[in-house]
Amino acid sequence: MDDKVYSQYKLAEMFNINPATAAKGLTKLAEDGILYDKRGLGKFVADDAKEKVIDKRKNQTLKRMLEEIVQEADRLNMDEEELMAMMKVVMNGEGER
């Protein structure tokens, strides 16, 4: 990718937030390997940034959501077979919309 990222000050102006908040966000993205620094030039998007974001969403967000679904299924006394059958219906687009 190698796209240049806006500075913390530009991001703060664009999103009407404190520059320190923008800096924290940029730092977190750099720690996660999504952005990298080019000394004296600023931050840039890593080549594999998209894959890293997708992996993080799978392993954190989606996992948390699935844990909540499993807990709710347990409260409703659904067994694994019934839950998996419902999951397949939804994945195949056969569920209610």
Side-chain angles (χ1 to χ4, degrees), residues 2-70:
D2 277 340
D3 293 331
K4 187 169 180 6
V5 177
Y6 290 119
S7 72
Q8 71 188 61
Y9 301 105
K10 181 67 176 174
L11 289 169
E13 179 184 323
M14 289 170 62
F15 296 104
N16 197 27
I17 59 173
N18 187 304
T21 302
K24 286 180 187 177
L26 292 170
T27 298
K28 177 66 176 142
L29 290 170
E31 288 171 357
D32 291 347
I34 295 166
L35 302 180
Y36 68 94
D37 287 305
K38 281 189 181 178
R39 192 173 181 95
L41 297 176
K43 294 198 183 305
F44 290 79
V45 179
D47 287 335
D48 60 349
K50 183 175 180 178
E51 292 80 13
K52 287 182 179 184
V53 170
I54 289 170
D55 188 57
K56 185 172 184 172
R57 288 182 69 189
K58 282 181 187 176
N59 290 310
Q60 289 183 3
T61 306
L62 194 55
K63 184 178 180 203
R64 185 186 72 246
M65 292 169 75
L66 287 170
E67 287 169 349
E68 291 172 10
I69 289 168
V70 168

